[in-house]
Amino acid sequence: AQKVTQAQTEISVVEKEDVTLDCVYETRDTTYYLFWYKQPPSGELVFLIRRNSFDEQNEISGRYSWNFQKSTSSFNFTITASQVVDSAVYFCALSILTGGGNKLTFGTGTQLKVEL
Amino acid sequence: DAGVTQSPTHLIKTRGQQVTLRCSPKSGHDTVSWYQQALGQGPQFIFQYYEEEERQRGNFPDRFSGHQFPNYSSELNVNALLLGDSALYLCASGQGTGELFFGEGSRLTVL
């Protein structure tokens, strides 16, 4: 069975601070994908990134960066110079490809509040 | 290019009733999945449809059923509603094993 743990329930920061959202996952499969989604109050899950289990290179996209470490089964997400518009719930998710398609296992989410 | 669209956005039902939720996938996508998100929780996988067949199913009772039409759109049906079925129901579409794109969801309240 797969499991995703987001231990941080809620994080509050002041605008322009850097913030890191933690994600730890469990799976016995060697081939899997990891995802981060953003959920604003509207409810829609906004796709941020997908990484496969064979690519441990860190990735940077603007103010967003991701640190994937298989040795610790972690896929952490950092927002640099946070902004009020970053306030949302962020979900980490895992999928394996057995069964012929994507089935995402989500963590419980981290509520990020960015204040002025 | 329209993304994933869901209807209705909000609805209220009473216990024992039945509900149908609808989803149109993003253009070019042929796979549709449904997720249930209870308040304060992460989404839980219900099932996935591809080529009009249910391909995978999560840990949900048979009261939850679905359908995929030839145009790839999908319906989620829930029978004999319980109070615990109150949640945001999210539809996601994809192509093969590519990224999943989600709609804004249908918020169901069961009284």
Side-chain angles (χ1 to χ4, degrees):
Chain A
Q2 290 72 45
K3 184 178 179 181
V4 175
T5 301
Q6 295 179 257
Q8 305 152 306
T9 304
E10 184 173 321
I11 301 175
S12 291
V13 298
V14 176
E15 203 175 37
K16 298 184 183 177
E17 284 186 17
D18 298 347
V19 58
T20 295
L21 309 181
D22 297 333
C23 173
V24 174
Y25 63 91
E26 296 176 30
T27 180
R28 293 182 181 176
D29 287 74
T30 56
T31 304
Y32 51 88
Y33 287 106
L34 294 165
F35 302 77
W36 276 95
Y37 283 88
K38 174 182 179 180
Q39 189 175 44
S42 64
E44 178 182 359
L45 285 168
V46 177
F47 170 82
L48 296 177
I49 189 172
R50 180 182 77 159
R51 300 306 299 273
N52 74 53
S53 52
F54 298 108
D55 183 2
E56 287 191 72
Q57 281 192 348
N58 291 331
E59 183 159 338
I60 298 174
S61 176
R63 296 185 298 107
Y64 295 168
S65 62
W66 290 270
N67 184 344
F68 177 26
Q69 292 193 340
K70 286 179 76 171
S71 60
T72 56
S73 297
S74 65
F75 186 45
N76 296 336
F77 172 33
T78 297
I79 302 175
T80 302
S82 59
Q83 300 176 1
V84 172
V85 294
D86 295 327
S87 297
V89 181
Y90 290 85
F91 289 97
C92 179
L94 165 74
S95 76
I96 60 171
L97 299 183
T98 56
N102 273 323
K103 169 190 168 184
L104 297 181
T105 299
F106 284 86
T108 51
T110 297
Q111 170 84 59
L112 174 64
K113 295 183 178 179
V114 182
E115 300 167 337
L116 292 170
Chain B
D1 177 27
V4 180
T5 58
Q6 293 186 241
S7 63
T9 54
H10 295 82
L11 68 167
I12 299 173
K13 294 285 187 177
T14 56
R15 281 176 294 176
Q17 285 189 314
Q18 179 262 347
V19 67
T20 297
L21 308 178
R22 297 176 177 81
C23 172
S24 293
K26 185 177 171 64
S27 178
H29 288 182
D30 56 8
T31 301
V32 173
S33 302
W34 287 92
Y35 289 77
Q36 180 195 66
Q37 186 179 16
L39 197 62
Q41 300 296 315
Q44 300 290 317
F45 176 78
I46 303 175
F47 41 53
Q48 179 185 71
Y49 278 84
Y50 171 67
E51 292 186 336
E52 302 179 50
E53 290 189 13
E54 183 182 293
R55 300 291 178 167
Q56 293 192 77
R57 188 178 182 91
N59 188 25
F60 279 81
D62 292 344
R63 298 187 297 109
F64 289 77
S65 63
H67 189 76
Q68 186 179 34
F69 299 95
N71 66 353
Y72 308 119
S73 67
S74 176
E75 288 182 351
L76 164 65
N77 300 293
V78 186
N79 294 321
L81 285 167
L82 304 173
L83 294 179
D85 295 332
S86 295
L88 179 67
Y89 289 85
L90 294 162
C91 173
S93 73
Q95 173 75 34
T97 58
E99 293 89 357
L100 286 182
F101 291 84
F102 285 80
E104 292 194 357
S106 295
R107 188 166 297 281
L108 171 65
T109 302
V110 182
L111 301 177

